[in-house]
């Protein structure tokens, strides 16, 4: 365990000019005192680790030291072949490059480890799109991916609601969320998120060579045309902010988006079964938060039912979602939503009178506008 940690420390220092004790402790998941002891052990073993003192100090390797301890074990090799989403690489036009990289890594492995690629692929597979969705590749995704790789500014036109706007962007990263591609980009000093399928044109900043979403040639690239495409374009490059962390940025924005769309509240009384079902019919985090809050406040009545206050996007969406609870949930507020549920219950009872045979019930209204079969609202970008 300690030997593996020492090797990882050397590799970390080899990859970066300098690291503080706090940074090493965070990467290695140990205390700063343990980092100091490990550095001393490396120095005693002949690894030239130098400590810079002072507020801006840290640890670094001196003399251009390079370790040869880079051989991969089986678990490491298998993890490496799992680190990617084949469909995502395909959509970004990087399938050929990824295949070549896997072949090169396989060739460099010890003979007894060369089955790691097929072994991992036959045991684990990541299917990114959600259920009941036909995945669609945004036409301009390869163009945008090129700009992300090259740190190249782009001028893009983007559909925002019913209007088309033009922005000059510094594209920092791409995120694939439930089958939808998003671009994290900086514009006018702010970091923002854009849905890639809403871009209509993309061009390197200051370059008239524009790619359009309706150009079929933009959706696929062979290896040769892809490379030519990347070298022919000379859009101005930007200096990446080294403190920008894409996973952390996305997590924060996704949480903000989830909170921002939950603008209204519904009070409902749930049976024990309704408590267990609620996270599966509405926004999961909001449901769990509402249940935990009610349980902490001892919201149980004498029949074991729990009264919760649930954050929802709108009464319309709540109606469509909470109907799935059936008799396991009793809407208490707002009054107009409770009346909609009461009306739905009356229509349902008319369809299934006691003792009636199939098809014998009276004609009734349909599910009503906004019912469980209605499409949800068009959510804005996170």
């Amino acid at each position: 365990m300690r030997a593996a940690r020492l090797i990882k420390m050397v590799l970390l220092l080899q990859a970066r000019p300098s690291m503080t004790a706090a940074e090493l402790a965070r990467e290695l998941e140990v205390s700063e005192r343990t980092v100091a002891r490990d550095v001393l052990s490396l120095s005693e073993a002949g690894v030239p680790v130098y400590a810079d003192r002072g507020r801006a100090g840290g640890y670094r390797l001196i003399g251009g030291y390079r370790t040869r301890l880079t051989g991969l074990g089986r678990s490491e090799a298998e993890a490496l072949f799992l680190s990617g989403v084949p469909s995502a690489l395909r959509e970004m036009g990087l399938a050929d490059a990824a295949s070549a990289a896997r072949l090169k890594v396989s060739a460099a492995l010890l003979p007894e480890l060369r089955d790691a690629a097929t072994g991992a692929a036959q045991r684990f597979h990541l299917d990114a799109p959600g259920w009941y969705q036909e995945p669609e590749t945004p036409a301009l995704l390869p163009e945008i991916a090129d700009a992300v790789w090259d740190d190249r500014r782009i001028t893009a036109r983007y559909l925002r609601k019913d209007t088309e706007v033009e922005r000059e962007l510094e594209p920092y990263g791409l995120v694939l969320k439930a089958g939808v591609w998003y671009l994290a980009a900086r514009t006018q000093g702010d970091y923002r998120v854009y849905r890639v399928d809403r871009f209509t044109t993309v061009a390197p900043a200051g370059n008239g060579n524009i790619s359009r979403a309706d150009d079929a040639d933009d959706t696929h690239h062979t290896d040769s045309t892809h490379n030519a495409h990347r070298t022919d374009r000379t859009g101005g490059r930007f200096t990446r902010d080294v403190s920008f962390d894409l996973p952390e940025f996305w997590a924060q924005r996704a949480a903000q988006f989830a909170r921002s769309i939950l603008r209204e509240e519904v009070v409902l009384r749930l049976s024990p079964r309704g408590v267990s079902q609620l996270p599966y019919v509405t926004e999961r985090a909001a449901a769990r938060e509402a249940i935990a809050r009610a349980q902490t406040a001892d919201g149980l009545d004498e029949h074991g039912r729990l009264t919760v206050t649930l954050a929802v996007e709108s009464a319309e969406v709540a109606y469509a979602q909470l109907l799935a609870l059936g008799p396991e949930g009793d809407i208490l507020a707002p009054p107009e939503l409770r009346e909609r549920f009461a009306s739905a219950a009356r229509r349902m009872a008319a369809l299934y009178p006691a003792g009636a045979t199939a098809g014998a019930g009276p004609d009734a209204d349909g599910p009503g506008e906004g019912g469980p079969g209605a499409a949800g609202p068009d959510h804005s970008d996170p």
Side-chain angles (χ1 to χ4, degrees), residues 161-227:
K161 297 184 179 179
D162 296 329
T163 60
E164 189 176 68
V165 297
E166 184 172 294
R167 296 284 185 269
E168 183 170 310
L169 305 174
E170 296 177 354
Y172 266 67
L174 285 163
V175 176
L176 178 61
K177 170 71 171 179
V180 179
W181 283 97
Y182 296 89
L183 172 68
R186 184 167 62 181
T187 179
Q188 299 177 345
D190 293 330
Y191 292 102
R192 299 180 184 178
V193 176
Y194 301 86
R195 277 186 60 147
V196 174
D197 59 4
R198 293 184 184 168
F199 284 101
T200 58
T201 64
V202 171
N207 190 328
N209 191 1
I210 298 176
S211 296
R212 302 181 184 279
D214 56 1
D215 185 351
D217 291 337
D218 286 334
T219 59
H220 302 284
H221 294 280
T222 64
D223 202 30
S224 60
T225 57
H226 186 66
N227 291 334

Side-chain angles (χ1 to χ4, degrees), residues 13-218:
L13 292 173
Q14 186 173 294
R16 307 181 192 180
S18 176
M19 294 185 70
T20 65
E23 290 171 336
L24 283 168
R26 186 166 56 250
E27 289 279 356
L28 300 171
E29 298 180 350
V30 295
S31 67
E32 293 186 32
R33 182 174 295 181
T34 299
V35 167
R37 287 198 297 265
D38 287 350
V39 167
L40 181 61
S41 297
L42 288 173
S43 297
E44 292 173 350
V47 178
V49 183
Y50 180 79
D52 291 314
R53 305 294 179 183
R55 178 177 297 180
Y59 295 103
R60 60 185 175 89
L61 294 174
I62 60 175
Y65 179 84
R66 306 290 294 178
T67 179
R68 295 183 179 180
L69 297 174
T70 54
L72 294 175
R74 172 168 293 278
S75 61
E76 294 169 324
E78 289 174 341
L80 177 63
F81 285 111
L82 282 174
S83 59
V85 186
S87 60
L89 293 170
R90 226 174 15 251
E91 292 177 3
M92 288 190 292
L94 297 174
D96 290 340
S99 176
R102 284 192 293 268
L103 287 173
K104 290 177 181 178
V105 172
S106 295
L109 292 174
L110 294 172
E112 60 268 25
L113 299 181
R114 289 177 185 167
D115 65 338
T118 55
Q122 294 305 317
R123 286 170 174 80
F124 302 98
H125 175 67
L126 178 58
D127 186 8
W131 287 104
Y132 313 115
Q133 296 179 11
E134 275 301 321
E136 295 183 3
T137 303
L140 295 174
L141 177 61
E143 317 287 329
I144 294 171
D146 281 349
V148 170
W149 279 115
D150 292 343
D151 293 339
R152 188 175 63 244
R153 289 188 185 89
I154 58 173
T155 299
R157 296 191 67 81
Y158 180 82
L159 290 174
R160 190 176 64 187
K161 297 184 179 179
D162 296 329
T163 60
E164 189 176 68
V165 297
E166 184 172 294
R167 296 284 185 269
E168 183 170 310
L169 305 174
E170 296 177 354
Y172 266 67
L174 285 163
V175 176
L176 178 61
K177 170 71 171 179
V180 179
W181 283 97
Y182 296 89
L183 172 68
R186 184 167 62 181
T187 179
Q188 299 177 345
D190 293 330
Y191 292 102
R192 299 180 184 178
V193 176
Y194 301 86
R195 277 186 60 147
V196 174
D197 59 4
R198 293 184 184 168
F199 284 101
T200 58
T201 64
V202 171
N207 190 328
N209 191 1
I210 298 176
S211 296
R212 302 181 184 279
D214 56 1
D215 185 351
D217 291 337
D218 286 334

